[in-house]
Amino acid sequence: MNDDRNPLLTLISCVICRKTMRLERSTPGEDGKDVIQYRCEECGRIERVRLVRGSWPSTSQAG
């Protein structure tokens, strides 16, 4: 699935209290990669993650 709202994006845990963090916002980064911000509702900690979008390997084989 190639969806920006993929459920895997919401599965990040706080390193302090180990609670699941809430996806707060997503903004485009300077280099074209999205920056996703999470906030822990328990302790207020903020984590920012840069989303790297890869491409699938080519299906054609050399040789």
Side-chain angles (χ1 to χ4, degrees), residues 20-41:
T20 301
M21 298 178 87
R22 178 175 53 89
L23 178 64
E24 191 168 65
R25 68 178 164 191
S26 176
T27 55
E30 296 173 3
D31 55 357
K33 298 175 184 169
D34 292 345
V35 177
I36 302 173
Q37 181 171 310
Y38 297 91
R39 180 180 299 271
C40 178
E41 293 181 349

Side-chain angles (χ1 to χ4, degrees), residues 55-63:
S55 60
W56 291 99
S58 176
T59 56
S60 63
Q61 296 180 1

Side-chain angles (χ1 to χ4, degrees), residues 42-55:
E42 188 76 22
C43 69
R45 182 178 177 86
I46 295 174
E47 290 285 339
R48 290 183 188 96
V49 178
R50 185 172 312 271
L51 181 62
V52 178
R53 296 174 192 250
S55 60

